[in-house]
């Protein structure tokens, strides 16, 4: 949440800051601001709303001279999204400017303390205490002031800082919020995420917790929490720069949906060798796999929904007991974990605060952890004992699609591997499962090419008040994701229910014409769910069914049917989710919603 950038070098800073922020808007977009040192003064411009308001205000940065600056795009936590709460924040005489991503948890105590010393606050933010506290401790050495501030603040932060008395230098520090440093030919940069610097450099340093970076146009140095200089090696980022551009699609979400076949291939292919699953990257011996007592799958949002699917597969195929937890619940419920359990954390960003905290909780109890992560070098990827990357590339739309699909693949592969090693499935079964998995990209392509039919259907529901998603088993997990997609981007109230649970309350909400999307991909459960559909229809529901090709029986019960190609019952989520993603997308487009940046949301949730 919130994106920060900084630039110092030979070029005009403001246009570079705005460009960098445009790549970070997925992190928050309720207000934005930049501060640039023009040789005399640190000038700031801030604007409420999307970044384009700030860009217009500054003529794309042209009106702000100066070659060193910092910028911020905000997702409000403390204080409403107003101009005065937008970053950068300053100390009283505006000689220190700060941008911040994270939450200073003890800011009220610090604010009171500083007010007692005569400091006056102009915003409701937690960030402003950092600017005043730096001022309070600053004598001549910025580094000393920063170290003292680090000692006083609690919570999470990635900070970009400028001191008027040290022109041409940027300071950056992080704890539990992401921050990278880019080493460019024409100047150096800081940013919350790689896409913000890709246009200028592919050489990136990952800053670890409680490390400080000091950047000038010519040099970059790093320090530890004791102020001692430390050496760091840069990493080369090999992402395709176009991956973070819309490339002719109307929205990132649509583009990313269309990238799903490739994402599935990229996540799958390197892990199939000699017709078997090869996940040597995890360094897990067969003995270790056989010794696993229980799996704890922990995640947030859509990643949690892939975990719900995986539970059915790990239990059904590999016969390993699985608990699936929302990270925000797991971290505070004092879970019972045994020595031979494995904790799997699933996260696209690798920075989700609750998921990271859950990982640390498991580690602190001596439990082995495995991260299924998309962003290379992210906190969860670095801190988990083992990491399995989903090769989805940068995902920009707030509503995840391709990272979700890649996570499913990683989980299928793990389940197949564990099942085989534990003697629950034969080599022949592995071969047959892998054949089915290899067909998925083409099958997804086929479903995507049918988008016209779904668009047509979606157009009928742009003024729906409520939509329900129902299914049993894996189909229930698919329903959870279908429902989340719809509500997050179209703002239509929607709920997912286990089909058998409807009559315990929810069915009372069904009225004449209420849309119910039912998912029926599990053959042994068809009949059960069809009975539920009949119950719904007799109360007036309009029923959309997503089911396997060949299940023509459904046509007698449902009003509208979308067929998915045949695959193994464990993998149907990868196909059934496609029409549901398309449905949400076209409902949101039809309603004129900002699909890629839905209200109140952010892609990377780095606060708890
Ligand atoms: C946010 C995003 C969701 C995502 C969830 C978990 O809510 O909008 O799309 O599923 O965070 O994020 P992660 O990066 O940990 O997968």
């Amino acid at each position: 949440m919130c994106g920060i950038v900084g630039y110092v070098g030979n070029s005009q800073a403001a246009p570079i800051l705005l460009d960098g922020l445009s790549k970070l808007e997925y992190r928050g977009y309720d207000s934005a601001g930049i501060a640039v040192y023009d040789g005399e003064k640190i000038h700031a411009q801030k604007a409420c709303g999307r970044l384009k308001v700030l860009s217009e205000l500054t003529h794309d940065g042209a009106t702000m001279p100066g070659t060193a600056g910092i910028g911020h795009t905000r997702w409000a936590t403390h204080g409403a999204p107003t101009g005065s709460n937008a970053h950068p924040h300053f100390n009283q005489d505006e000689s220190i400017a700060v941008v911040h991503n994270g939450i200073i948890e003890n800011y009220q105590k610090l604010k009171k303390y500083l007010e007692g010393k005569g400091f006056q606050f102009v915003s409701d933010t937690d960030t402003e205490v950092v600017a005043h506290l730096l001022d309070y401790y600053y004598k001549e050495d910025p580094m000393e002031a920063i170290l003292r501030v680090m000692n006083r603040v609690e919570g999470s932060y990635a900070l970009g800082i400028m001191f008027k008395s040290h022109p041409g230098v940027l300071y950056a520090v992080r704890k539990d919020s992401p921050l990278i440093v880019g080493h460019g030919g024409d100047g150096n940069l800081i940013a919350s995420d790689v896409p913000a610097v890709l246009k200028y450099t592919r050489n990136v340093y990952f800053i670890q917790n409680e490390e400080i970076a000091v950047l000038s146009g010519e040099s970059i140095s790093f320090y530890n929490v004791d102020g001692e200089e430390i050496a760091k090696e840069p990493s080369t980022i090999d992402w395709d720069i176009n991956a973070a551009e819309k490339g002719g699609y109307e929205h990132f979400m649509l583009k990313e949906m269309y990238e799903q076949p490739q994402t599935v291939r990229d996540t799958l292919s390197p892990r199939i060798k000699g017709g078997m699953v090869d996940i040597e990257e995890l360094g897990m011996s067969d003995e270790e796999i056989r010794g696993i007592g229980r799996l704890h799958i922990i995640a947030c949002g859509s990643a949690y929904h892939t975990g719900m699917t995986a539970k059915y597969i790990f239990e059904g195929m590999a016969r390993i007991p699985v608990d699936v937890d929302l990270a925000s619940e797991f971290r505070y419920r004092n879970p019972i974990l045994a020595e031979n359990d494995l904790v799997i954390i699933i996260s696209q960003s690798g920075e989700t605060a609750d998921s990271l905290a859950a990982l640390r909780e498991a580690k602190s109890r001596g439990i082995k952890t495995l991260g299924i992560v998309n962003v290379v070098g992210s906190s969860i990827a670095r801190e988990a004992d083992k990491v399995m990357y989903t090769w989805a590339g940068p995902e920009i739309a707030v509503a995840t699609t391709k990272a979700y699909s890649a996570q499913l693949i990683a989980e299928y592969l793990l389940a197949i591997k564990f099942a085989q090693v534990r003697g629950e499935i034969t080599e022949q079964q592995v071969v047959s499962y892998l054949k089915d998995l290899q067909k998925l990209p083409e099958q997804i392509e086929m479903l995507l090419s049918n988008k016209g039919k779904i668009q047509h259907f979606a157009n009928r529901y742009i003024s729906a008040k409520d939509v329900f998603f129902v299914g049993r088993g894996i189909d229930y997990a698919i329903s959870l994701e279908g429902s989340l997609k719809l509500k997050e981007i179209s703002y239509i109230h929607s709920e997912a229910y286990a089909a058998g649970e409807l009559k315990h309350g929810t069915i009372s909400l069904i009225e004449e014409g209420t849309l119910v999307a039912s998912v029926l991909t599990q053959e042994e459960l068809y009949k059960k769910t069809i009975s539920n559909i009949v119950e719904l229809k007799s109360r007036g529901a309009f029923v959309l069914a997503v089911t396997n090709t060949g299940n023509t029986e459904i046509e007698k019960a449902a009003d509208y049917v979308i067929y998915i190609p045949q695959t193994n019952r464990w993998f149907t989520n990868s196909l059934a989710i496609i029409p549901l993603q398309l449905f949400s997308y076209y409902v949101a487009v039809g309603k004129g919603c900002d699909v890629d940046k839905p209200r109140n949301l952010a892609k990377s949730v780095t606060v708890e």
Side-chain angles (χ1 to χ4, degrees):
M1 333 217 92
C2 301
I4 70 172
V5 291
Y7 169 80
V8 53
N10 301 320
S11 305
Q12 191 184 358
I16 296 175
L17 297 174
L18 289 170
D19 177 65
L21 290 178
S22 74
K23 305 291 187 306
L24 297 178
E25 250 197 313
Y26 72 86
R27 304 180 66 85
Y29 34 80
D30 55 40
S31 54
I34 52 177
V36 179
Y37 182 73
D38 71 356
E40 270 180 32
K41 202 176 172 298
I42 304 176
H43 289 279
Q45 288 283 7
K46 306 180 186 187
C48 285
R50 301 292 152 94
L51 183 67
K52 67 173 192 292
V53 183
L54 181 65
S55 300
E56 278 162 20
L57 187 73
T58 60
H59 294 265
D60 292 326
T63 58
M64 295 184 78
T67 59
I70 50 180
H72 188 267
T73 175
R74 182 165 186 248
W75 187 87
T77 57
H78 294 66
T82 59
S84 58
N85 287 332
H87 300 213
H89 289 285
F90 287 87
N91 64 332
Q92 212 122 329
D93 67 4
E94 302 196 338
S95 57
I96 302 172
V98 175
V99 287
H100 169 218
N101 168 31
I103 291 182
I104 307 298
E105 285 168 1
N106 58 341
Y107 84 103
Q108 267 164 329
K109 199 171 133 205
L110 291 170
K111 189 170 177 176
K112 220 165 147 202
Y113 175 76
L114 289 163
E115 278 171 342
K117 301 266 174 206
F119 288 88
Q120 284 167 15
F121 284 75
V122 296
S123 79
D124 306 316
T125 64
D126 52 332
T127 306
E128 198 185 347
V129 299
V130 177
H132 292 302
L133 206 55
L134 282 166
D135 183 349
Y136 180 56
Y137 288 127
Y138 180 61
K139 302 289 176 266
E140 279 171 0
D141 182 5
M143 183 65 83
E144 192 191 319
I146 291 169
L147 290 172
R148 293 194 69 173
V149 167
M150 286 167 74
N151 265 325
R152 291 296 304 272
V153 297
E154 291 162 16
S156 59
Y157 50 83
L159 296 166
I161 309 165
M162 281 201 300
F163 291 82
K164 189 178 155 196
S165 51
H166 287 72
V169 187
L170 294 187
Y171 297 84
V173 57
R174 67 160 284 207
K175 181 177 162 269
D176 295 342
S177 291
L179 189 65
I180 56 133
V181 170
H183 180 35
D186 184 49
N188 294 316
L189 303 108
I190 59 167
S192 299
D193 196 2
V194 171
V197 306
L198 267 190
K199 193 164 157 188
Y200 311 99
T201 181
R202 288 178 176 275
N203 297 326
V204 161
Y205 295 92
F206 292 99
I207 308 183
Q208 307 292 333
N209 260 350
E210 301 194 306
E211 289 179 354
I212 303 157
V214 182
L215 290 76
S216 70
E218 299 77 38
S219 68
I220 304 172
S221 38
F222 299 97
Y223 300 86
N224 66 16
V225 74
D226 295 317
E228 296 159 347
E229 187 160 358
I230 48 176
K232 259 189 188 299
E233 287 300 315
S235 307
T236 309
I237 305 292
D238 56 8
W239 286 357
D240 173 5
I241 193 158
N242 298 321
E245 306 289 339
K246 266 191 228 159
Y249 286 89
E250 200 184 338
H251 297 102
F252 277 112
M253 185 178 172
L254 187 64
K255 175 180 178 244
E256 288 160 5
M257 280 192 278
Y258 271 83
E259 285 170 352
Q260 289 180 109
Q262 195 53 41
T263 293
V264 167
R265 260 184 222 112
D266 291 347
T267 307
L268 189 63
S269 309
R271 288 159 175 143
I272 300 180
K273 287 188 191 138
M276 293 286 120
V277 177
D278 182 332
I279 34 179
E280 253 179 31
E281 66 206 273
L282 296 184
M284 278 182 96
S285 67
D286 286 359
E287 205 183 328
E288 243 178 292
I289 294 172
R290 276 192 285 269
I292 296 170
R294 178 174 285 272
L295 295 175
H296 302 268
I297 302 182
I298 302 159
C300 302
S302 299
Y304 168 77
H305 295 158
T306 71
M308 289 285 287
T309 302
K311 177 183 166 75
Y312 292 103
I313 307 174
F314 278 115
E315 291 192 339
M317 186 200 290
R319 305 304 294 154
I320 308 176
V322 180
D323 284 347
V324 191
D325 265 284
L326 291 164
S328 53
E329 289 295 312
F330 177 89
R331 62 184 292 193
Y332 293 121
R333 77 167 167 82
N334 194 10
I336 298 168
L337 305 173
E339 208 184 317
N340 60 344
D341 289 356
L342 176 68
V343 163
I344 303 180
I345 308 277
I346 307 167
S347 175
Q348 186 284 127
S349 62
E351 301 292 349
T352 303
D354 284 319
S355 304
L356 183 58
L359 169 76
R360 289 178 180 164
E361 172 68 25
K363 282 186 80 175
S364 73
R365 295 176 181 220
I367 308 300
K368 286 218 182 66
T369 56
L370 187 165
I372 296 180
V373 181
N374 193 42
V375 176
V376 175
S378 57
S379 299
I380 294 174
R382 283 197 314 266
E383 293 188 29
D385 297 314
K386 299 163 194 306
V387 60
M388 185 170 179
Y389 283 111
T390 50
W391 298 112
E395 192 180 58
I396 310 294
V398 166
T400 179
T401 51
K402 64 172 179 168
Y404 171 90
S405 286
Q407 286 163 357
L408 285 174
I409 299 296
E411 289 160 272
Y412 300 157
L413 288 169
L414 270 184
I416 296 171
K417 177 75 186 176
F418 287 5
Q420 189 193 359
V421 170
R422 293 165 73 105
E424 296 292 343
I425 54 172
T426 61
E427 276 198 10
Q428 273 144 320
Q429 277 172 300
V430 176
V431 171
S432 137
Y433 288 153
L434 293 181
K435 265 198 193 137
D436 281 325
L437 288 182
Q438 281 167 316
K439 280 188 212 149
L440 287 177
E442 229 170 89
Q443 294 175 321
I444 294 173
E445 259 154 36
M446 199 210 87
L447 286 163
L448 286 166
S449 69
N450 260 339
K451 69 177 188 336
K453 186 177 171 195
I454 294 162
Q455 181 172 15
H456 184 70
F457 182 78
N459 283 339
R460 288 160 51 181
Y461 282 93
I462 54 179
S463 48
K465 202 159 60 67
D466 305 290
V467 178
F468 295 88
F469 290 76
V470 302
R472 288 168 181 259
I474 285 179
D475 294 336
Y476 170 50
I478 300 169
S479 302
L480 287 167
E481 177 62 7
S483 166
L484 179 64
K485 282 280 93 56
L486 183 69
K487 68 188 131 205
E488 67 183 334
I489 61 169
S490 76
Y491 318 141
I492 291 175
H493 166 252
S494 111
E495 291 193 39
Y497 264 85
E501 188 62 15
L502 278 171
K503 44 175 124 22
H504 298 291
T506 313
I507 203 161
S508 64
L509 297 171
I510 303 298
E511 292 171 0
E512 196 58 41
T514 306
L515 176 63
V516 178
S518 57
V519 187
L520 304 92
T521 70
Q522 304 296 300
E523 212 176 321
E524 73 283 8
L525 296 170
Y526 282 165
K527 287 205 162 51
K528 302 282 171 201
T529 308
I530 287 178
S531 305
N532 300 131
I533 290 176
V534 173
E535 290 159 7
L536 285 160
K537 273 204 64 71
S538 45
R539 274 131 190 114
F542 185 94
V543 177
L544 161 74
V546 178
T547 192
N548 304 326
T549 303
N551 180 23
T552 44
E553 200 188 334
I554 190 69
E555 300 206 1
K556 285 186 233 130
D559 299 288
Y560 199 86
V561 183
I562 293 167
Y563 289 104
I564 61 163
Q566 290 290 350
T567 187
N568 186 281
R569 69 185 161 123
W570 301 123
F571 314 137
T572 55
N573 189 341
S574 293
L575 301 176
I577 199 60
I578 305 296
L580 299 184
Q581 290 171 346
L582 286 166
F583 173 70
S584 302
Y585 174 77
Y586 283 116
V587 171
V589 170
K591 285 187 72 176
C593 297
D594 190 346
V595 175
D596 286 338
K597 299 189 191 94
R599 72 182 178 209
N600 303 341
L601 297 179
K603 185 154 191 73
S604 183
V605 183
T606 52
V607 295
E608 67 170 283

